[in-house]
Amino acid sequence: GVLAGSGNLDKDFNIRWRDETKQRGSDGAYLLTLSPKTPATPPEADFTEIQVEVDPKDFLIQKIILQEPGGNSSTFEFSGIKSNHGLKDRIFSFDIPKGVVVVEQP
């Protein structure tokens, strides 16, 4: 999915300004709305559209608002983002606990 970084925004979404008359928020962030080109229907639909706020300096996403079927929304705000920070390999080591079965994805 798009939130996991595996989506192709231009291919999968219609992208537009959230408001044609006000393309930036009070903090200068670009305000965009992404609507799925092929909308899913409930219960498969996780969201009906995504609103995104993008930092104009580095183009990193500051906020994502998922508009959900039924009118609810979920907001994710990002701050203190560090790109290409460099992580040590030991962060990703995983010791399988005794008695646990690991199932690989096909």
Side-chain angles (χ1 to χ4, degrees), residues 54-61:
V54 179
D55 188 310
K57 295 183 292 297
D58 52 21
F59 300 103
L60 293 175
I61 293 174

Side-chain angles (χ1 to χ4, degrees), residues 16-89:
R16 66 183 192 281
W17 296 112
R18 191 179 309 168
D19 180 346
E20 279 296 329
T21 62
K22 184 182 174 201
Q23 299 172 352
R24 291 190 178 203
S26 60
D27 62 353
Y30 294 113
L31 306 174
L32 303 170
T33 297
L34 288 66
S35 302
K37 288 186 177 180
T38 309
T41 55
E44 293 83 20
D46 293 329
F47 56 86
T48 55
E49 72 177 21
I50 304 172
Q51 295 177 358
V52 180
E53 296 184 15
V54 179
D55 188 310
K57 295 183 292 297
D58 52 21
F59 300 103
L60 293 175
I61 293 174
Q62 294 176 325
K63 183 188 286 187
I64 296 174
I65 303 169
L66 297 177
Q67 298 296 335
E68 302 169 359
N72 293 328
S73 66
S74 297
T75 301
F76 303 88
E77 293 188 44
F78 305 96
S79 63
I81 299 171
K82 296 178 183 176
S83 58
N84 300 320
H85 186 59
L87 300 174
K88 298 189 178 0
D89 289 344

Side-chain angles (χ1 to χ4, degrees), residues 80-102:
I81 299 171
K82 296 178 183 176
S83 58
N84 300 320
H85 186 59
L87 300 174
K88 298 189 178 0
D89 289 344
R90 70 174 179 261
I91 292 174
F92 301 101
S93 68
F94 175 64
D95 294 323
I96 302 169
K98 186 176 181 179
V100 171
V101 176
V102 175

